[in-house]
Amino acid sequence: MTRVIRELGLLQIDSVNVLVQAHYQVMYARLGPYDRAVLDKVIYRSGKFTEQWAHEASILPVETWPLLKHRMHAHRPRPWGFDKYMDQFPDYVEWVLEEVRQRGPLRGEHLPPPEGSPKRIPGSWYSNVGRGILEAHFGRGLIAVSNRGTNFAREFDLVERVIAAEHLTREVTQEDAQRALVLQAAKAYGIATAADLADYFRMKPADAKARIAELIETRELEPVRVEGWRDPAYLHASAKVPRAITPSALLSPFDPLVWFRPRAERLFDFHYRNEIYTPAPKRKFGYYVLPFLDAERLVARVDLKADRASSRLRVLAAHMEESAEPAEFAPRLLGELQQMSQWLGLSKVEIARRGKLAPALRKL
């Protein structure tokens, strides 16, 4: 597990639990069935990993913390405009930090709102004002996530009680940090365009291009051309071409293989959009749609839901790509669905009739 996270550089976090949280699924695609409790221990008990804003909210090695300090210094609290709210209650902002210092790990629900303020933040997904302030301190690097509760709620503690001093005291210039982040992205991708590398850690494109040019000079990146790609590409110096790529896997919408949609389309001719926030009548494929990787191709996409009440993994829709033949991959997809169902502790896979691939799966 440790090796996989380090090779990827980060795991994106998303709280949507219609199937299973994204970081669990990204690991499952690479490891197969594993004990999620073990992953929780690796992330929150080993001292080797932490959370911070990287590619959105992310789990990452603690060594990456110093590389993100320049972002923490410039962090703007979310939702946008919340810093103005904080300016109205400066004493409360400091009080929240002091509460963490005195009481230890806290969740937002542990903190009352300031006097004269509503409990909820208008226009925010945060459950209460206390959590909003904790998240702001977290984004600025003053506190860190020490654990996740049973409802996936973050618990925050002082950063020095979560992350080793050697990482907190290490100072890295912004340019050096950006070079290290670009290299990590290149290592994870193997080969990538400047846009791909910039997106991995959500870096400004101009900054990424400047760092790429410097890494070419030091021969840590090699400029290459890829047939069919309009833009230049860059190869990590240690990248190796595998003899064969044979695995089959269901991919989270937040998997690095597909999270940057232009890259997924460029690599696999696979047009993919996350329709979670699309109104139901306008969805083309479904609410929580997973691409299916079969060897070197993305051949299908399935809309999945873990129906825990009935112990069913429900395939709400199954779609195949135009160039794909069901006979070539449908048995492997069904096998993956059955294995995922068992991993999630569900007793049966239930396949609905929606989608051109559904009849082939139902016949197996």
Side-chain angles (χ1 to χ4, degrees):
M1 291 180 178
T2 297
R3 178 183 58 81
V4 172
I5 302 173
R6 291 193 184 283
E7 287 180 351
L8 292 174
L10 55 80
L11 298 174
Q12 184 177 348
I13 301 168
D14 190 86
S15 61
V16 173
N17 195 28
V18 67
L19 183 65
V20 66
Q21 281 96 356
H23 65 290
Y24 292 126
Q25 193 179 336
V26 170
M27 294 295 285
Y28 174 80
R30 287 153 178 81
L31 299 176
Y34 68 92
D35 188 341
R36 281 174 283 168
V38 174
L39 180 60
D40 290 339
K41 289 179 181 178
V42 167
I43 294 171
Y44 298 108
R45 295 289 181 270
S46 69
K48 297 178 180 179
F49 300 97
T50 189
E51 293 187 24
Q52 190 46 252
W53 290 99
H55 182 96
E56 299 301 323
S58 303
I59 296 159
L60 39 78
V62 289
E63 307 93 85
T64 307
W65 186 274
L67 307 181
L68 299 173
K69 278 185 179 180
H70 63 283
R71 293 193 189 177
M72 298 177 204
H73 296 327
H75 178 76
R76 296 290 300 276
R78 301 187 182 192
W80 308 126
F82 186 52
D83 49 346
K84 295 179 181 178
Y85 175 93
M86 295 173 66
D87 289 341
Q88 296 177 24
F89 300 95
D91 292 341
Y92 179 76
V93 172
E94 291 301 318
W95 176 80
V96 167
L97 191 60
E98 186 60 28
E99 285 292 288
V100 176
R101 181 174 289 109
Q102 296 297 328
R103 296 167 58 186
L106 293 179
R107 297 192 299 271
E109 64 196 61
H110 296 147
L111 300 167
E115 186 176 350
S117 168
K119 184 177 181 179
R120 297 295 298 270
I121 305 169
S124 170
W125 61 90
Y126 294 146
S127 55
N128 55 53
V129 171
R131 181 186 168 191
I133 301 298
L134 288 170
E135 294 282 354
H137 285 314
F138 164 69
R140 291 170 173 173
L142 300 177
I143 59 178
V145 176
S146 60
N147 197 16
R148 287 275 186 169
T150 54
N151 61 350
F152 206 55
R154 281 169 163 168
E155 293 183 357
F156 297 94
D157 203 350
L158 293 182
V159 66
E160 56 266 30
R161 296 201 288 241
V162 177
I163 298 175
E166 63 182 297
H167 306 300
L168 298 181
T169 57
R170 181 186 168 204
E171 295 299 329
V172 185
T173 67
Q174 180 170 326
E175 292 75 15
D176 284 344
Q178 289 174 340
R179 276 189 290 273
L181 294 174
V182 168
L183 269 182
Q184 176 57 63
K187 181 180 179 182
Y189 273 152
I191 191 168
T193 66
D196 298 338
L197 297 175
D199 177 77
Y200 208 88
F201 284 95
R202 294 294 166 86
M203 193 179 300
K204 292 180 180 179
D207 289 339
K209 288 181 179 179
R211 303 294 85 81
I212 288 169
E214 294 160 359
L215 291 166
I216 291 172
E217 287 292 321
T218 58
R219 298 186 178 182
E220 293 168 276
L221 288 182
E222 178 185 352
V224 295
R225 299 293 304 185
V226 178
E227 183 178 353
W229 288 18
R230 180 185 62 187
D231 296 324
Y234 305 94
L235 186 71
H236 191 279
S238 65
K240 297 179 181 179
V241 179
R243 293 182 179 180
I245 300 176
T246 59
S248 297
L250 288 160
L251 303 177
S252 163
F254 306 98
D255 193 293
L257 194 62
V258 295
W259 68 18
F260 189 46
R261 311 312 185 204
R263 179 178 173 82
E265 194 160 357
R266 198 183 327 117
L267 279 174
F268 302 106
D269 193 24
F270 189 81
H271 183 78
Y272 182 49
R273 296 293 180 269
N274 191 339
E275 298 181 291
I276 290 175
Y277 303 109
T278 302
K282 296 184 178 181
R283 290 178 195 141
K284 184 176 180 180
F285 297 108
Y287 177 76
Y288 201 73
V289 176
L290 279 65
F292 178 57
L293 175 69
D294 191 47
E296 297 183 352
R297 301 171 61 203
L298 292 177
V299 295
R301 56 189 92 200
V302 288
D303 183 16
L304 296 184
K305 176 181 174 62
D307 189 339
R308 296 170 179 88
S310 65
S311 193
R312 298 287 193 272
L313 176 61
R314 297 177 60 198
V315 183
L316 303 177
H319 308 273
M320 61 184 176
E321 296 303 287
E322 291 183 2
S323 61
E325 291 293 335
E328 296 177 356
F329 68 86
R332 287 189 292 277
L333 173 55
L334 182 60
E336 287 295 315
L337 291 168
Q338 291 169 338
Q339 181 175 267
M340 175 173 279
S341 175
Q342 294 171 4
W343 176 61
L344 294 175
L346 306 174
S347 61
K348 186 178 179 180
V349 176
E350 185 177 277
I351 302 171
R353 298 180 182 275
R354 182 167 176 253
K356 292 183 178 181
L357 180 57
L361 290 174
R362 289 170 62 88
K363 287 179 181 179
L364 294 173

